[in-house]
Amino acid sequence: MPARLQISAMVFMMAQAVLFGAGMLGILLSPLRDNASFYIPVMIVLSAIASVAIAWEIAPRLQMRYWRSRGVDHDFISG
């Protein structure tokens, strides 16, 4: 399995947790809570899709070869 896919899987879980929590707060602290049985499953699907995209974009930045090829030590994402 490629390293990018492995890193993406780990980052996906963290991004999913953050987006899920933010989505739940958004639903439960707004007037959407009246129809929460509809909005919560929609929010779960949307946060999963967004987490895949976010994880796939962040994963290369967490690999050392990404920075060696650019001649830079790090950035604000990788520390």
Side-chain angles (χ1 to χ4, degrees):
M1 185 183 316
R4 183 176 185 180
L5 188 59
Q6 293 174 359
I7 294 170
S8 293
M10 290 186 286
V11 172
F12 167 80
M13 291 183 262
M14 292 179 275
Q16 175 69 17
V18 170
L19 291 177
F20 176 78
M24 286 300 291
L25 285 174
I27 290 172
L28 296 176
L29 295 176
S30 72
L32 296 176
R33 71 177 171 264
D34 297 335
N35 294 324
S37 62
F38 171 76
Y39 288 113
I40 290 175
V42 170
M43 182 269 309
I44 291 170
V45 170
L46 291 177
S47 67
I49 293 169
S51 296
V52 168
I54 290 169
W56 192 251
E57 288 298 316
I58 289 176
R61 293 172 178 251
L62 299 176
Q63 295 179 7
M64 188 60 188
R65 66 180 170 201
Y66 177 87
W67 298 112
R68 273 185 291 208
S69 67
R70 286 167 175 71
V72 178
D73 288 334
H74 62 283
D75 74 344
F76 68 97
I77 291 177
S78 62

